[in-house]
Amino acid sequence: GIVHASLAPVIVVGGARPNLVLVAVVFVTALGGFMPGITWAFVAGLTVNLLVGEPLGSIPLALLVVAALVAGGHRLIGRTVWAYPIAAAFLGSMIADALGLALTQLVTDASIGAIPTDVILAAAIVNAGVAAILVFPARAIAARTVPDEAAAW
């Protein structure tokens, strides 16, 4: 959360800032499982939320929704597909941004007007690019540290 709050405002690619916490939550959930994913989503999201000026609780809520969807997709596709974290980062970014906009509009009196789909799409592409850069190192780290799934007796 601290790394995201310090680096994300500085890094701008094509007018969009990467959401490093979202990419981390996607990787932890896709490679580690549901419980580590929601733990990372809540703790890192709350840390970022306290450091950034978003409405309190909006970032952890969005990340928890993304972690649940990534875990559900993980059940369907599995860990063996290397492209899954990249696609999950792309779709999760769009979902988190849309949910963040909706929550901001509910909390504040300001009207958003037209939905900024170009900004949401650019941020999703940037987050998928960050995930694509990190997919092989993350899988190598997960192969050494994440335990295999327990047998369902």
Side-chain angles (χ1 to χ4, degrees), residues 7 13 47 66 78 82 85 93 95 103-104 108 117 119 138 142 150 152:
L7 284 180
V13 178
T47 303
V66 169
W82 62 269
S93 176
I95 291 168
L103 290 173
T104 301
T108 62
T117 55
V119 175

Side-chain angles (χ1 to χ4, degrees), residues 55-71:
L56 189 61
S58 64
I59 295 174
L61 178 63
L63 290 177
L64 286 170
V65 168
V66 169
L69 292 174
V70 170

Side-chain angles (χ1 to χ4, degrees), residues 22 26 85-95 120-121 124-128 131:
L22 180 120
V26 166
I86 299 169
F90 180 79
L91 293 174
S93 176
M94 290 196 307
I95 291 168
I120 292 174
L121 185 63
I125 291 170
V126 168
N127 290 330

Side-chain angles (χ1 to χ4, degrees), residues 7-20:
L7 284 180
V10 178
I11 301 171
V12 178
V13 178
R17 292 182 173 90
N19 191 341
L20 302 175

